[in-house]
Amino acid sequence: SPVVIAAQAIGHQISSALAQFKNNFTTAVNPQVIKLYSIEQYNASKKLTLETSVYIYDLMLLLCLPIIVLMEPILNLWLVEVPDYAVIFGQYILVSQLIGTYNTTLYTPMVASGRLKENSFASVFVTIFGVVGLYFLLRAGLDVMWVQYMAIFESFVYAYVVKPIILCRYIPDYHWQDFLVNIWQMVKISILPIAVSY
């Protein structure tokens, strides 16, 4: 419905503003990751990639969490009339973006190694699965919030399952243990701020 589309558009406007900040940070780091990989310092390239992913996640958590908590007053200040679903959609879209932050940093080693084909196939597969799954869920009469649930699920699967599989399989020095340690760092960082915010 138009109300749902308007709510989705508002959520994506907020998300895009934050994504610019994240992209500026990764743009500064990417050349170093690629340079280290090109001179076959694979371990150093991996270390920089994984450390950067934690730093970017920290910064995005610092930006996203207050906006998620204060979404309603922010939208009331920004818009004359806040559409239905705008607040909850905005919150869920930012959660999806925060989860997908990991995905952004793991793309650079694929560029450096020329493994973009595998990444593209995986992206298409996950997206098609999400769209088809969402179609059947909505046809079954489930709530429109499943649009956001599916987006979060897709972000999680792509960032924390698909990308690590591709990196471990095709790129030197990447191992599952590295990702588990990395993800645990992000979980530890998140527990207290999310608990306090909740």
Side-chain angles (χ1 to χ4, degrees):
S1 72
V3 171
V4 172
I5 292 168
Q8 185 83 348
I10 289 165
H12 279 297
Q13 277 187 296
I14 297 167
S15 175
S16 296
L18 292 174
Q20 284 182 331
F21 175 82
K22 175 180 68 177
N23 293 339
N24 289 341
F25 194 91
T26 54
T27 301
V29 177
N30 288 349
Q32 280 299 314
V33 172
I34 293 169
K35 179 185 172 185
L36 288 168
Y37 188 93
S38 68
I39 59 175
E40 298 184 1
Q41 292 189 17
Y42 301 126
N43 194 51
S45 177
K46 176 192 76 174
K47 188 172 182 289
L48 182 58
T49 299
L50 295 177
E51 285 178 356
T52 301
S53 68
V54 175
Y55 297 145
I56 292 175
Y57 177 83
D58 292 352
L59 290 169
M60 289 302 291
L61 183 68
L62 186 67
L63 291 170
C64 287
L65 203 52
I67 297 171
I68 290 168
V69 172
L70 300 171
M71 184 67 73
E72 190 170 356
I74 288 170
L75 290 184
N76 283 327
L77 280 172
W78 181 27
L79 303 170
V80 177
E81 188 175 332
V82 179
D84 294 337
Y85 293 106
V87 172
I88 192 79
F89 269 35
Q91 290 170 327
Y92 274 79
I93 287 168
L94 288 186
V95 168
S96 178
Q97 185 181 53
L98 187 59
I99 291 169
T101 300
Y102 202 52
N103 169 30
T104 308
T105 50
L106 298 185
Y107 182 72
T108 310
M110 294 180 184
V111 172
S113 63
R115 287 291 177 178
L116 297 178
K117 181 176 73 175
E118 291 82 1
N119 181 65
S120 299
F121 280 137
S123 176
V124 169
F125 178 77
V126 171
T127 304
I128 289 172
F129 171 80
V131 170
V132 171
L134 185 60
Y135 172 79
F136 285 109
L137 289 170
L138 294 177
R139 287 282 294 180
L142 292 177
D143 188 72
V144 73
M145 281 307 299
W146 276 92
V147 172
Q148 301 309 324
Y149 302 150
M150 188 60 80
I152 289 172
F153 176 74
E154 281 181 48
S155 287
F156 180 84
V157 168
Y158 195 55
Y160 296 94
V161 179
V162 173
K163 284 277 179 85
I165 287 172
I166 294 170
L167 289 171
C168 289
R169 186 167 181 183
Y170 296 108
I171 299 178
D173 282 351
Y174 280 91
H175 307 286
W176 272 105
Q177 294 88 337
D178 301 322
F179 293 107
L180 293 174
V181 168
N182 210 227
I183 291 164
W184 176 238
Q185 285 180 306
M186 290 189 282
V187 169
K188 284 193 299 184
I189 290 161
S190 305
I191 290 170
L192 184 61
I194 290 172
V196 169
S197 299
Y198 182 78

